Amino acid sequence: MALLEIKNLHVSVGGKKILNGISLALNAGEVHAIMGPNGTGKSTLSNVIAGRDGYEVTEGQVLLDGRDVLAMAADERARAGVFLAFQYPVEIPGVTTSAFLKTAINAKRRAEGKPEIDAMEFLKLVKAKQKILGMPDDMIKRALNVGFSGGEKKRAEVLQMTLLEPRVAILDETDSGLDIDALKIVSEGVNTLRSPERAFLIITHYQRLLNYIVPDHVHVLVGGKVVASGGKELAEQLEAEGYARYLSAA
Amino acid sequence: MKQSALLVHPFGARYAAALPAADSARREARETLALEGLPGPKREEWRFTPLRGLAKIPFIPAASAEDIDVRDIPADVPRFAGAVRVVLVNGVYRADLSDKVSEAGLAIMEAKTPDHDVHAPLAVLNAAYMSGGVTIAARGVVAKPVHIVSIGAAGAEPAAFHPRFAVAVAPAAKLTVLETHHGLPGQPYFSNPVTTISVGTAGVLRRYVLVREDSEAFHLATTVADVAADAKFDAFHLGLGGALVRQEINVDFVGEGAAVRLNGAYALTGRAHHDFTTFMNHDMPNCTSSQVFKGVVDGESRGVYQGRLLVARHAQKTDGQQLHKALFLSRGPQIDCKPELEIYADDVKCAHGATTGEMDPDHLFYLAARGIDPQAARLLLVQGFLADALENVDDAAVHDILSAEISGWLMRKASA
């Protein structure tokens, strides 16, 4: 059984059909990339899996370890192991990154029947992970994402992913707004999380990110449908030729 | 007409009869009170804060109640480490509960008479029946802050008290004052403090006020401040408890180059009512004033912010800013926000802003996407909203005290 299975997923937003029957199976240990032009439903797919309001699933299923993801509230999905790295992480004034991280870690631990994390242990853990991602120690004292640069926000997303150890991580345009150095650091962070127990769904417009996070499978999404699938060479081909061929076919 | 209205309001002849004969200042105030009564809803500044409920309660002067016996400071009064603590019970200074003052440059005296004429209607009531208070004078840089603790308590009957506080900061002197207002449960009490502040040339006063009265209590506070040339007056007010609370703050700029910050926050549940009313009287050029007030409202509570800013024709280069932000936790509460900018000078920078709204769904989704359940997410966001208001509290120890007070409020709310 696949770790994450998307079966014939149809989604509308405000009566307008965005996804027209997507089927994908992500096995544990695999990295899948979804590429496609703007406005083709890439972000809709990630939002629907994570459980954002405002999307109407008209047909199809999303299963995590065979469990019906669409029947769960967004927070339940996250505790079950779905992680969405946001394209635009929100800024929340007054809520320190540290208080937020601790609350999120403890929510997961409680769901797993574990005791809350000890304050010292928490600090040690966060410091160690921040170091890997090239983040200053005091960043967790700052309000969540407030005044963070684009690169800092994306690093913070990867830090959260590292701390929450999801089963399935969805990266929504994580490369947008990143310079090449930040891109490398973020990619390394993701690569260290690759494991036989975990799957990744990487949503991107450009092939650039896939030079650093090398996918096992690449899918092309056009008009709310997967129009082509292949190995990593498909990404290179798209980079060279663009989406024109698929657009005319769709 | 007004005379007959006065007979039913609680501070008439019956109230006065319980007190010793008045001196001339008090007599004069009682005559004014008899003529004008308590402010009604037709008075513009009191439109959003009706006193009908207060006027129905047959208060007696707390000083005349013989069954009130407060021997200790309640355990939940915050400790301000390193501060000189000054304790008042029902508006009367209590030497037995207060610290001795031995700080260079700092003088704290018991106040016996209403020295300053303050024209606000509740200040007239205060002058008529002033029950006590303290006068604080600072010379030079006073290292130790002062913590004023006010405890209200009624006996078998509802009780009222009217203390006076005077804070005088000499030229170039520096002082920090924390004022916390608490009460004991029981019959309702009414605290009606008046504070007169003067900050001398190039002086600095930081004033922090916490109002966490008993949930049945009334607290109507009037503050008037004179701020001299190049002086700084930096104030933060937190309203976390009381049935009806008003914090009215009037600032007069009496010298050039002065800077005033009036900030505050309030959090209301049930049927609590909280009113911040401010008046910035820019009567001098080159002064700045900035105000940020934030409120969280739930239940059927009501929050009021009225900010009046007057810039005289000669007060050029005035910078006056005000902002009010309210967060609704349910559909029941009401917010009244009234900025009033009256500007007669032509070279000024003045602005006001106001926002009210519910919790941002994008924020809630972000927290949900990290596994945080809706209840915990809302708690985190409310705490964040209020914590953000505390960013304006420069004193680290006071910041911690107020932050703990906010956590306490959230815990009480969660368990209610």
Side-chain angles (χ1 to χ4, degrees):
Chain A
M1 186 173 58
L3 178 55
L4 184 78
E5 200 162 4
I6 302 166
K7 288 182 175 172
N8 189 32
L9 190 65
H10 291 255
V11 176
S12 300
V13 177
K16 191 176 172 236
K17 278 207 93 175
I18 307 288
L19 299 184
N20 295 299
I22 290 190
S23 296
L24 284 175
L26 279 71
N27 292 309
E30 290 178 349
V31 174
H32 290 239
I34 293 197
M35 301 183 70
N38 287 328
T40 196
K42 299 196 299 290
S43 284
T44 297
L45 179 63
S46 58
N47 282 325
V48 167
I49 299 171
R52 192 191 276 268
D53 284 342
Y55 297 89
E56 196 195 343
V57 177
T58 53
E59 211 183 321
Q61 273 188 309
V62 178
L63 304 171
L64 178 72
D65 283 326
R67 289 173 67 195
D68 182 2
V69 168
L70 300 178
M72 301 181 203
D75 56 306
E76 280 178 78
R77 299 182 195 192
R79 292 194 298 272
V82 175
F83 183 94
L84 172 63
F86 283 68
Q87 183 177 5
Y88 303 109
V90 296
E91 301 190 0
I92 308 187
V95 175
T96 61
T97 305
S98 138
F100 161 73
L101 290 176
K102 205 186 272 176
T103 309
I105 289 172
N106 282 332
K108 179 167 183 269
R109 289 174 71 115
R110 264 198 308 278
E112 290 166 353
K114 291 182 192 162
E116 297 205 341
I117 192 165
D118 165 83
M120 290 304 291
E121 193 192 331
F122 168 76
L123 279 179
K124 228 174 99 181
L125 177 70
V126 173
K127 262 189 187 173
K129 305 291 187 192
Q130 279 186 302
K131 206 173 167 189
I132 297 171
L133 291 165
M135 301 163 90
D137 281 357
D138 64 355
M139 206 207 68
I140 61 163
K141 290 182 190 158
R142 288 161 63 188
L144 185 58
N145 291 324
V146 177
F148 287 21
S149 68
E152 284 175 323
K153 282 180 184 165
K154 296 298 169 75
R155 276 182 225 201
E157 293 292 292
V158 176
L159 173 68
Q160 291 167 32
M161 193 197 304
T162 309
L163 291 168
L164 294 172
E165 301 176 330
R167 309 283 325 276
V168 174
I170 305 162
L171 278 68
D172 189 3
E173 308 263 4
T174 291
D175 47 339
S176 70
L178 285 190
D179 62 33
I180 197 74
D181 293 328
L183 187 70
K184 278 185 188 164
I185 292 170
V186 165
S187 305
E188 274 167 36
V190 171
N191 286 331
T192 56
L193 283 174
R194 288 179 79 153
S195 97
E197 284 85 47
R198 185 172 290 136
F200 286 87
L201 188 60
I202 295 175
I203 290 169
T204 182
H205 188 74
Y206 302 104
Q207 191 255 341
R208 192 176 69 149
L209 179 67
L210 305 180
N211 290 334
Y212 299 97
I213 307 171
V214 180
D216 302 301
H217 301 276
V218 175
H219 311 280
V220 182
L221 190 64
V222 174
K225 265 188 181 159
V226 175
V227 293
S229 291
K232 63 175 194 269
E233 65 289 344
L234 180 55
E236 286 153 21
Q237 186 197 328
L238 284 169
E239 183 74 0
E241 298 174 9
Y243 293 108
R245 172 149 79 110
Y246 300 105
L247 285 171
S248 55
Chain B
M1 180 69 188
K2 274 177 181 165
Q3 282 287 355
S4 64
L6 184 70
L7 293 176
V8 295
H9 99 61
F11 305 105
R14 177 178 170 266
Y15 192 87
L19 291 164
D23 52 34
S24 65
R26 287 180 170 95
R27 255 203 318 275
E28 205 179 300
R30 284 179 199 181
E31 280 163 20
T32 310
L33 181 69
L35 280 172
E36 294 179 359
L38 292 176
K42 285 190 180 155
R43 264 188 93 132
E44 184 57 29
E45 319 90 270
W46 288 88
R47 191 151 65 96
F48 303 121
T49 298
L51 297 182
R52 285 186 302 271
L54 175 88
K56 277 185 201 150
I57 297 176
F59 289 106
I60 60 165
S64 74
E66 283 167 4
D67 56 347
I68 300 172
D69 185 16
V70 178
R71 293 183 188 186
D72 298 303
I73 301 167
D76 64 345
V77 170
R79 303 279 322 191
F80 187 2
V84 178
R85 194 161 60 177
V86 178
V87 180
L88 294 95
V89 174
N90 286 340
V92 177
Y93 173 70
R94 285 281 293 268
D96 59 323
L97 299 177
S98 301
D99 293 337
K100 303 265 174 296
V101 181
S102 58
E103 182 70 9
L106 180 67
I108 300 179
M109 290 148 291
E110 191 173 354
K112 302 277 192 194
T113 51
D115 284 338
H116 302 270
D117 232 6
V118 180
H119 294 289
L122 270 290
V124 173
L125 174 64
N126 173 286
Y129 299 116
M130 179 205 167
S131 46
V134 288
T135 298
I136 299 167
R139 295 199 165 275
V141 175
V142 180
K144 273 195 176 182
V146 176
H147 180 189
I148 296 172
V149 179
S150 167
I151 300 158
E157 288 184 74
F161 53 96
H162 313 270
R164 278 274 165 152
F165 300 95
V167 181
V169 176
K174 260 187 171 174
L175 179 70
T176 296
V177 178
L178 169 68
E179 215 180 290
T180 65
H181 297 262
H182 315 269
L184 303 179
Q187 285 291 327
Y189 61 85
F190 169 30
S191 173
N192 176 35
V194 168
T195 305
T196 58
I197 289 171
S198 71
V199 189
T201 304
V204 178
L205 175 64
R206 285 171 168 179
R207 181 190 188 219
Y208 303 109
V209 181
L210 164 71
V211 178
R212 176 169 45 82
E213 301 280 16
D214 179 67
S215 59
E216 300 295 313
F218 296 82
H219 177 106
L220 302 173
T222 309
T223 296
V224 290
D226 281 355
V227 185
D230 300 318
K232 284 194 168 63
F233 174 39
D234 186 6
F236 187 89
H237 316 78
L238 183 60
L240 296 181
L244 179 69
V245 176
R246 172 161 158 133
Q247 304 195 54
E248 177 178 334
I249 306 123
N250 302 310
V251 176
D252 281 318
F253 288 86
V254 296
E256 284 194 44
V260 173
R261 289 203 308 172
L262 284 190
N263 298 313
Y266 56 91
L268 311 176
T269 53
R271 301 184 62 84
H273 181 117
H274 189 286
D275 173 338
F276 274 121
T277 293
T278 68
F279 176 36
M280 287 285 184
N281 187 11
H282 279 278
D283 200 28
M284 283 285 165
N286 298 307
C287 293
T288 65
S289 69
S290 133
Q291 304 181 56
V292 179
F293 288 91
K294 288 189 160 194
V296 172
V297 286
D298 200 359
E300 289 170 70
S301 62
R302 189 169 181 189
V304 178
Y305 170 70
Q306 308 185 88
R308 185 167 168 231
L309 185 89
L310 174 63
V311 182
R313 206 217 271 278
H314 51 269
Q316 299 293 3
K317 306 280 181 197
T318 290
D319 185 339
Q321 311 290 329
Q322 53 172 248
L323 178 65
H324 178 257
K325 277 184 162 181
L327 177 64
F328 281 78
L329 301 188
S330 57
R331 297 284 168 91
Q334 185 180 334
I335 290 284
D336 294 291
C337 173
K338 192 181 72 176
E340 219 182 325
L341 273 60
E342 242 180 284
I343 300 167
Y344 297 101
D346 52 16
D347 184 14
V348 300
K349 216 167 77 186
C350 293
H352 68 86
T355 62
T356 53
E358 294 178 27
M359 241 168 238
D360 187 333
D362 287 342
H363 289 182
L364 287 167
F365 176 63
Y366 190 81
L367 298 179
R370 297 299 175 256
I372 300 171
D373 68 69
Q375 201 187 343
R378 290 169 69 85
L379 185 72
L380 202 58
L381 291 177
V382 175
Q383 189 154 30
F385 182 83
L386 293 169
D388 192 45
L390 290 186
E391 291 287 295
N392 290 315
V393 174
D394 290 342
D395 186 289
V398 173
H399 185 282
D400 289 350
I401 289 171
L402 298 182
S403 184
E405 286 288 334
I406 287 172
S407 300
W409 181 84
L410 288 165
M411 266 152 64
R412 288 195 298 280
K413 183 179 176 303
S415 63

